[in-house]
Amino acid sequence: MSYRRLGDYIRQVNVRNRSLETNVLLGVSITKKLIPSIANVIGTDMSVYKVIEKRQFAYGTVTSRNGDKISIALSDQYEKALVSQIYVVFEVIDTEELLPEYLMMWFSRPEFDRYVRFHSHGSTRETFDWEDMCEVELPIPSIEEQRQIVAQYQSIANKIKVNEQICEKLEAAAQALYKHWFVDFEFPYSPPSEGGPQDGVAIEKPYKSSGGKMVWNEELGKEIPEGWEIVKLQYLIDNDYIFKNQDGNHGEIHPKSSDFVDKGVPFLMVNNVKKYCADLTNCNFISDDQARKLRIGFAKDNDVLITHKATIGKTVMLFTNYEKVVLTPQITYYRIKDKHKMRSSFLYSVFKSQEFQNQFAAFSEQSTRSYLSILNQRFLEILLPTSNVIINYDEQAAVLLKQIYNYTQINQKLTQLQSLLLSRLAVGEEAEAS
C-alpha cells in the first residue's frame, strides 16, 4: 500500500467563539482524549477560545513537555466545544476519502509518537508545527476498507467500555456492602431472642436497627457494635520488611533499567496500579537473581497494595499466578497475618473507604510530594469487627472483587488486540476481534 502526504487531506480550522454559543471548555490529554478543562475561567473572555466541532482534531504543538506522546485528540462527544488558543484545530477535507476515525487510529500508534518526537525541533522547547503535521505520510486504503477497520476497532472499544461499566457497578456494590455493614452497622446477625434457627435456617436481621448491642468508643466519639475495637495495622498484617528496613536507607531497593528482561519476576510500578487491578501484562520484569538482591519484600497473590508516595492511596487487590511480584518502593503490600481475624477483601474495602483515605492523607508528610513512610503506615488505625462478621463479609465481597478482576483481565486482552490492530495499519493488515 502506498503512503500519502497527510497535508493533502487536512486543513486548519480557526473559528473563534465570538457569538459565545458554547462554554464547554476542553483540554487535550496525553492519553489522546478531549477532557473537561480544570482551568479557572471566571472572568475570562470566552470569545477568544477556538471552537472545535464533532469529528475535528485538536493538538498541542509543544512536544518537549509530554514525555513520549503528542497531545492530539478527535472530538467525538460534543457537537461544539471550546479549546485553548494554544491548540491547532484541523479537520479532514473530504471524509469520503479519509475517515477522521481512521486518522485518529493512526495518531494513536506509539510509532506515530516516536515519529513526532524525532521530527520535533526547537531550542528552548521542541515543537511539531502544522507544517510538520502536513508532511506526515500514512497509508490510506479505500474508504470501504477504512470503514471496516474503524468498525472493528470501535467494536473492541465498545466491549472495553461495557466491561468498565460493569466493573464500576461491581465496585460500587462492594463499597455499598462495606458501608452498610461497617459504617451503618447493619450487618446481618441472629438476635438471641429469636430462639435460634428455624427449619435449619438462622434468622438474620440488620444489627443496629434490630437492637444489636452498641457501646461507646472514646477514640471515635460514637457508638460501635459490642466486641469491635480500634487496632493498629501492625497487629494485623504479616509484612516483616516494614519493621526490618528504614524506607530505603540501606541496600538497593530499585532495579536499574539495564536489569529489565523479557521474562522473569514482575516489577510493579505505580503506573501499573490501575483503577481496579494491578496490571501485570504491561509491567517490566527482572530476573529471579536480581530480585533476590533487592532490599524489599515480595508481594504475593491476595495481598492488598496501596501507593504511598506522590499519588497516594491507590488501592488494589493483587491477583496473580506469579510466585512473587516485586514492587517499586512507592507501593506497600499488606499480607494478612491471621485469617481468623482479618481477610484481604475486608482490608481492601477499608483502604478504599473515604474515611481511611482521609486518614491516609492526613498522616502524609508534605514536602515536594505527598508521602507516607512505610514505617509510619503501621500506626494507622482501623475499626476491627469481630471475626465472624469479617468472615461473613469476605464470602460476599471476595466474589465481587474476583469478578472485577476477571473483567479487567478481559479488558487487558482487548487492549492488546487494539494495539495489534493499530500496529497493522502500516501494512494494511487487519486483526480479528474476538
Side-chain angles (χ1 to χ4, degrees), residues 302-372:
N302 219 41
D303 286 349
V304 180
L305 312 183
I306 188 167
T307 61
H308 63 91
K309 189 173 183 179
T311 303
I312 64 172
K314 288 176 65 178
T315 304
V316 296
M317 182 91 82
L318 180 62
F319 293 105
T320 178
N321 293 323
Y322 289 98
E323 180 183 354
K324 56 190 175 184
V325 176
V326 179
L327 306 177
T328 175
Q330 295 173 309
I331 306 173
T332 310
Y333 75 82
Y334 285 89
R335 185 171 303 141
I336 304 307
K337 180 184 295 185
D338 186 348
K339 291 187 178 180
H340 294 291
K341 291 184 178 181
M342 175 65 73
R343 294 293 175 92
S344 295
S345 60
F346 173 73
L347 188 62
Y348 167 85
S349 297
V350 170
F351 284 2
K352 293 282 286 189
S353 69
Q354 191 59 56
E355 293 81 5
F356 185 86
Q357 289 286 322
N358 292 341
Q359 181 187 181
F360 202 84
F363 270 71
S364 300
E365 299 99 27
Q366 300 291 330
S367 54
T368 306
R369 299 183 294 180
S370 297
Y371 174 67
L372 181 55

Side-chain angles (χ1 to χ4, degrees), residues 151-394:
Q152 193 175 49
Y153 187 84
Q154 291 181 343
S155 174
I156 301 171
N158 290 337
K159 290 179 182 177
I160 292 174
K161 185 176 181 180
V162 168
N163 289 343
E164 287 175 344
Q165 292 171 343
I166 293 173
C167 287
E168 288 177 4
K169 292 179 180 178
L170 290 169
E171 177 67 33
Q175 286 300 306
L177 182 67
Y178 172 83
K179 180 179 182 299
H180 190 62
W181 283 36
F182 305 113
V183 178
D184 302 332
F185 306 129
E186 296 290 19
F187 54 91
Y189 94 118
S190 300
S193 60
E194 299 293 341
Q198 295 182 5
D199 298 327
V201 180
I203 298 174
E204 294 186 338
K205 293 185 176 181
Y207 186 85
K208 186 176 181 179
S209 60
S210 298
K213 188 173 181 180
M214 304 288 289
V215 295
W216 182 259
N217 182 274
E218 290 291 343
E219 292 179 75
L220 295 178
K222 66 179 182 180
E223 290 186 327
I224 62 175
E226 184 181 35
W228 294 25
E229 59 181 333
I230 301 295
V231 297
K232 289 183 171 60
L233 281 178
Q234 63 179 328
Y235 300 118
L236 300 171
I237 58 172
D238 179 15
N239 199 337
D240 290 340
Y241 89 98
I242 284 183
F243 310 106
K244 292 180 179 177
N245 302 298
Q246 299 292 319
D247 287 329
N249 294 330
H250 306 286
E252 185 180 358
I253 63 173
H254 200 297
K256 305 177 182 65
S257 58
S258 58
D259 295 326
F260 294 141
V261 294
D262 292 335
K263 293 181 179 180
V265 181
F267 179 73
L268 203 70
M269 304 284 287
V270 171
N271 61 0
N272 299 123
V273 179
K274 304 300 183 181
K275 189 174 183 180
Y276 299 115
C277 73
D279 183 6
L280 299 180
T281 62
N282 294 301
C283 66
N284 291 310
F285 293 86
I286 58 177
S287 68
D288 193 62
D289 288 341
Q290 180 63 32
R292 283 195 289 266
K293 296 178 183 178
L294 299 178
R295 186 209 46 79
I296 52 180
F298 299 126
K300 298 182 179 181
D301 184 54
N302 219 41
D303 286 349
V304 180
L305 312 183
I306 188 167
T307 61
H308 63 91
K309 189 173 183 179
T311 303
I312 64 172
K314 288 176 65 178
T315 304
V316 296
M317 182 91 82
L318 180 62
F319 293 105
T320 178
N321 293 323
Y322 289 98
E323 180 183 354
K324 56 190 175 184
V325 176
V326 179
L327 306 177
T328 175
Q330 295 173 309
I331 306 173
T332 310
Y333 75 82
Y334 285 89
R335 185 171 303 141
I336 304 307
K337 180 184 295 185
D338 186 348
K339 291 187 178 180
H340 294 291
K341 291 184 178 181
M342 175 65 73
R343 294 293 175 92
S344 295
S345 60
F346 173 73
L347 188 62
Y348 167 85
S349 297
V350 170
F351 284 2
K352 293 282 286 189
S353 69
Q354 191 59 56
E355 293 81 5
F356 185 86
Q357 289 286 322
N358 292 341
Q359 181 187 181
F360 202 84
F363 270 71
S364 300
E365 299 99 27
Q366 300 291 330
S367 54
T368 306
R369 299 183 294 180
S370 297
Y371 174 67
L372 181 55
S373 68
I374 294 176
L375 284 174
N376 287 337
Q377 286 177 49
R378 61 180 172 162
F379 299 118
L380 294 170
E381 296 179 331
I382 67 172
L383 177 59
L384 183 67
T386 54
S387 59
N388 64 307
V389 175
I390 289 181
I391 292 171
N392 290 340
Y393 176 77
D394 179 68

